[in-house]
């Protein structure tokens, strides 16, 4: 076995629990994003706010500044990177420590993103 392969195995790159964490963080971002869309559609009086929220979840908002959309995506990306960094920095700790730390950092990133989108949402 060469040294490169040993390093890869020592880091646990084939560990499926890492992918579970990524999936959980992604699901949290989708859930919060859906909640924000649903609240927005309901507030605007949509006949079927749940369906409108699903349709609007991945669509670009009309009337918003492209710079604002870019900044929103960068806030979201920074939160996801912070959660990934927290997972990387706590990789040698027990799962009972690593998962809550990553969860808290991910939630902080999600709420920062949600707050930014709420504060910059066009009011009509």
């Amino acid at each position: 076995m060469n040294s490169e392969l040993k390093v890869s195995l020592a880091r646990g790159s084939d560990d499926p629990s890492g992918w579970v964490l990524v999936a959980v963080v992604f699901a949290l971002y989708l859930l919060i994003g859906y909640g924000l869309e649903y609240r927005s559609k309901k507030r605007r009086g949509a006949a079927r706010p749940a369906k409108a929220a699903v349709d609007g979840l991945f669509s670009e908002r009309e009337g918003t500044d492209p710079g604002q959309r870019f900044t929103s995506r960068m806030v979201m990306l920074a939160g996801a990177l912070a959660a990934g960094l927290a997972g990387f920095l706590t990789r040698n700790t027990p799962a009972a420590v690593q998962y809550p730390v990553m969860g808290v950092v991910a939630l902080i990133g999600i709420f920062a993103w949600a707050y930014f989108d709420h504060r910059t949402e066009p009011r009509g």
Side-chain angles (χ1 to χ4, degrees), residues 1 8-9 11 14-15 17 23 25 31 33 43 52 63 65 74 78 82 85 87 97-98 104 114 117 122-123:
M1 219 196 275
S8 177
L9 291 174
R11 289 186 183 157
D14 295 331
D15 185 19
S17 67
V25 169
L31 183 66
R43 189 177 348 137
D65 179 31
M74 290 300 107
L85 181 64
V97 174
Q98 183 183 23
V104 167
D117 274 359
R123 309 279 192 249

Side-chain angles (χ1 to χ4, degrees), residues 1 6 25 40 45 51 86 103 108 113 118:
M1 219 196 275
K6 286 180 185 176
V25 169
S40 174
K51 181 169 177 17
I108 290 170
W113 169 55
H118 172 72

Side-chain angles (χ1 to χ4, degrees), residues 3 7 10 14 20 22 27 44-45 50 53 59 65 69 73 78 84 86 88 95 101 104 108 120 124:
S3 63
V7 171
D14 295 331
V20 171
V22 169
R44 290 189 179 137
S59 66
D65 179 31
R69 281 195 304 263
R73 297 305 182 248
F88 178 75
V101 167
V104 167
I108 290 170
T120 58

Side-chain angles (χ1 to χ4, degrees), residues 41-122:
K41 301 298 182 190
K42 189 169 184 170
R43 189 177 348 137
R44 290 189 179 137
R48 297 173 60 195
K51 181 169 177 17
V54 169
D55 292 340
L57 191 58
F58 296 106
S59 66
E60 297 297 331
R61 293 189 177 120
E62 299 84 23
T64 58
D65 179 31
Q68 178 182 332
R69 281 195 304 263
F70 177 75
T71 305
S72 173
R73 297 305 182 248
M74 290 300 107
V75 170
M76 182 172 49
L77 179 65
L81 288 174
L85 181 64
F88 178 75
L89 293 176
T90 58
R91 68 189 179 276
N92 294 326
T93 61
V97 174
Q98 183 183 23
Y99 294 171
V101 167
M102 283 189 67
V104 167
V105 172
L107 284 175
I108 290 170
I110 290 167
F111 285 114
W113 169 55
Y115 180 74
F116 176 81
D117 274 359
H118 172 72
R119 296 295 295 169
T120 58
E121 180 182 6

